[in-house]
Amino acid sequence: MKRLALLPILLVVTFLWPLQSALADTNVAGSATASASYTSSWESVAAINDGIDPPSSNDTVNRRWGTWPNTGSQWAELTWTSAQGLRSADVYFFDDGGGVRVPSSWKLQYWTGSAYADISASYPVAANTYNKVSFTQVSTTRLRVVLQSGQGSVGLLEVRAFAADAPPSGSGWNPPGNLVTPLNEVWQHQESTYPNLYGFRNYGWDQVMANGGSINYCVRWDTGATVTAAQRDQIHATLARQFKKWMDLMAGHNNWPYTNVPLKVVGWAVRDRAQLQWNDNSVDIYVGNIRENAPQCSEPCGRFFNQNGTYPNCPGGPSHHYDMSLWLTAGFGGGAGGDWGQRIGSEYYMSNLNTDNVHILLHEMGHSFGLDDFYDWTPTGVGGFLMKAGSAAQITDFDAWMFRDWWRHLKSRYGR
Ligand SMILES: [Zn+2]
């Protein structure tokens, strides 16, 4: 992309993996009530959350949960009186080498309020240790461990269920301890990769702050398709929802001054006015201004072309300026992002208008706020995350803290 200015582009995103971020959170199992599909009369299901770390899988000292002589699919679960934000669990199997053995396989399920849903993760099976599982955070009142028996009946000695720490608030820099090292690695990597990191003045941060807490977009409709007024409004709403996911990470954090950063689409650029099937004047319309072989909104109104933040030649005046472009190109795979905005496939965008996480757009928005790609390295101790293309389909905790780290390093330029 010629107008990249600073930031790299994304290649094609193909695979979506569950998140694998190991997080040192709070074990909330002790506040739950344990129950099970079946419990041998001499065992106790209360063993699974009594807080006692087993000496081994063949624990002959502490109480245990076991299902002998029953086999097949067996479960034990934890029930809380209020919803917990769970995102990892440790499970210690009971195995006496005789009638009770480690399972052939197992999984976690959570209660959605009306049914049990499988938790997508990788599930190790090992004796004499905690089997650790991380997963995309779920909010639930019940966590179920489902065991499929193997060479005998099954059982558990202890289950730990970890809830996310309280969200950041107030002033200061307070990332979870396990993210401090990888965050420092990322920042040092960026500093060494981009010599003009601190001189650059057109990050999304600069744009939002220059507007006093809002952002304006113009749509580059780089396709021959038509758009109805209803589709236009959906396109705007989807863009605003995705942008809000990033901005909500900042509310109340480290002197970020806004609780809400509204997004407004002020214009559309198109090859042929007849493609736009509305007659109202709710947005400015730019016809036939072809740049990079694509329709472009008026340069005098664009932040990229007026980085001092004044728009003397924008026909509608400064309120009609746009900070970023949403560039939707027919047949475009993957995406690109930078201070100028985001470019993604028009078909992808239109087929994801009702998707919760339009992950390619979210990734490219990350670039617009300075976040880097991770094609050739991974920070220590973190698994999948949005900015490592293909490894996550939503903003993870690590993405959130990288995002906040940009604010930490730039905020002094805004007197914060
Ligand atoms: Zn990228």
Side-chain angles (χ1 to χ4, degrees), residues 9-10 363-364 367 373 375:
I9 64 171
L10 168 68
H363 175 108
E364 305 307 338
H367 287 323
D373 276 312
Y375 293 133

Side-chain angles (χ1 to χ4, degrees), residues 29 34 43-67 76 78 90-96 100-103 126-131 145 147 154-160:
E43 311 286 16
S44 169
V45 73
I48 69 168
N49 63 332
D50 60 7
I52 298 172
D53 288 330
S56 72
S57 281
N58 189 12
D59 185 351
T60 58
V61 177
N62 306 293
R63 56 188 173 176
R64 315 166 298 200
W65 172 66
T67 67
L78 300 172
D90 299 344
V91 171
Y92 206 114
F93 296 123
F94 175 22
D95 186 328
D96 62 8
V100 178
R101 304 302 304 270
V102 296
N128 304 316
T129 188
Y130 280 105
N131 292 266
V145 184
L147 305 169
V154 293
L156 295 172
L157 300 179
E158 191 69 14
V159 176
R160 299 164 169 165

Side-chain angles (χ1 to χ4, degrees), residues 10 12 37 68 71 112 121 172-173 183 220 228 255 274-275 279 284 308 333 389 399 402 406:
L10 168 68
V12 177
S37 54
W68 194 87
T71 56
T112 65
W173 174 246
L183 287 168
R220 302 181 70 177
T228 66
N255 292 322
Q275 292 176 263
N279 296 313
D284 298 322
N308 64 3
D399 294 303
M402 287 197 297
W406 272 90

Side-chain angles (χ1 to χ4, degrees), residues 8-11 13 335-337 363-364 367 371-375 386-389:
I9 64 171
L10 168 68
L11 299 177
V13 172
H363 175 108
E364 305 307 338
H367 287 323
L371 299 185
D372 207 356
D373 276 312
F374 294 83
Y375 293 133
L386 181 73
M387 296 313 295
K388 187 171 176 63

Side-chain angles (χ1 to χ4, degrees), residues 34-356:
S35 57
S37 54
Y38 176 79
T39 304
S40 310
S41 62
W42 55 93
E43 311 286 16
S44 169
V45 73
I48 69 168
N49 63 332
D50 60 7
I52 298 172
D53 288 330
S56 72
S57 281
N58 189 12
D59 185 351
T60 58
V61 177
N62 306 293
R63 56 188 173 176
R64 315 166 298 200
W65 172 66
T67 67
W68 194 87
N70 288 353
T71 56
S73 181
Q74 301 287 332
W75 56 262
E77 74 178 9
L78 300 172
T79 300
W80 291 269
T81 55
S82 62
Q84 309 290 313
L86 304 178
R87 56 185 180 183
S88 67
D90 299 344
V91 171
Y92 206 114
F93 296 123
F94 175 22
D95 186 328
D96 62 8
V100 178
R101 304 302 304 270
V102 296
S104 61
S105 65
W106 67 288
K107 64 185 176 182
L108 295 171
Q109 293 183 322
Y110 73 101
W111 179 247
T112 65
S114 57
Y116 286 95
D118 288 351
I119 290 178
S120 178
S122 65
Y123 292 99
V125 179
N128 304 316
T129 188
Y130 280 105
N131 292 266
K132 296 175 178 294
V133 175
S134 297
F135 44 88
T136 304
Q137 185 171 326
V138 296
S139 179
T140 188
T141 56
R142 300 185 215 168
L143 182 70
R144 177 173 282 193
V145 184
V146 182
L147 305 169
Q148 188 65 39
S149 68
Q151 298 174 35
S153 296
V154 293
L156 295 172
L157 300 179
E158 191 69 14
V159 176
R160 299 164 169 165
F162 294 94
D165 291 330
S169 63
S171 61
W173 174 246
N174 53 353
N178 60 317
L179 298 186
V180 170
T181 293
L183 287 168
N184 286 337
E185 289 172 357
V186 168
W187 197 261
Q188 287 164 16
H189 184 87
Q190 288 172 158
E191 282 185 330
S192 62
T193 306
Y194 306 107
N196 195 35
L197 191 76
Y198 295 104
F200 191 75
R201 294 263 164 180
N202 197 31
Y203 299 111
W205 306 103
D206 298 303
Q207 299 170 11
V208 169
M209 297 305 289
N211 295 339
S214 63
I215 193 93
N216 284 0
Y217 267 78
C218 198
V219 175
R220 302 181 70 177
W221 188 243
D222 186 15
T223 155
T226 57
V227 193
T228 66
Q231 287 175 319
R232 173 199 64 193
D233 294 344
Q234 281 188 289
I235 289 167
H236 295 182
T238 298
L239 183 65
R241 274 199 306 274
Q242 302 305 305
F243 189 77
K244 179 173 164 56
K245 287 178 185 290
W246 282 114
M247 290 294 105
D248 281 353
L249 300 172
M250 298 307 301
H253 174 70
N254 203 0
N255 292 322
W256 174 251
Y258 309 112
T259 54
N260 183 38
V261 179
L263 180 152
K264 185 179 183 187
V265 178
V266 296
W268 276 64
V270 67
R271 288 190 176 82
D272 180 351
R273 177 64 181 83
Q275 292 176 263
L276 307 182
Q277 299 179 339
W278 64 80
N279 296 313
D280 63 65
N281 57 4
S282 62
V283 293
D284 298 322
I285 295 174
Y286 305 104
V287 179
N289 182 31
I290 305 300
R291 299 286 185 273
E292 302 135 328
N293 200 32
Q296 174 151 293
C297 307
S298 169
E299 286 90 343
C301 299
R303 163 92 187 188
F304 184 88
F305 311 98
N306 303 270
Q307 296 192 14
N308 64 3
T310 65
Y311 305 90
N313 299 314
C314 182
S319 68
H320 288 239
H321 91 278
Y322 61 93
D323 303 291
M324 294 202 215
S325 295
L326 175 65
W327 184 356
L328 300 176
T329 299
F332 188 73
D339 62 319
W340 46 269
Q342 302 87 41
R343 183 186 192 186
I344 59 177
S346 56
E347 298 89 348
Y348 168 81
Y349 193 90
M350 296 306 288
S351 64
N352 283 284
L353 292 174
N354 297 311
T355 301
D356 184 17

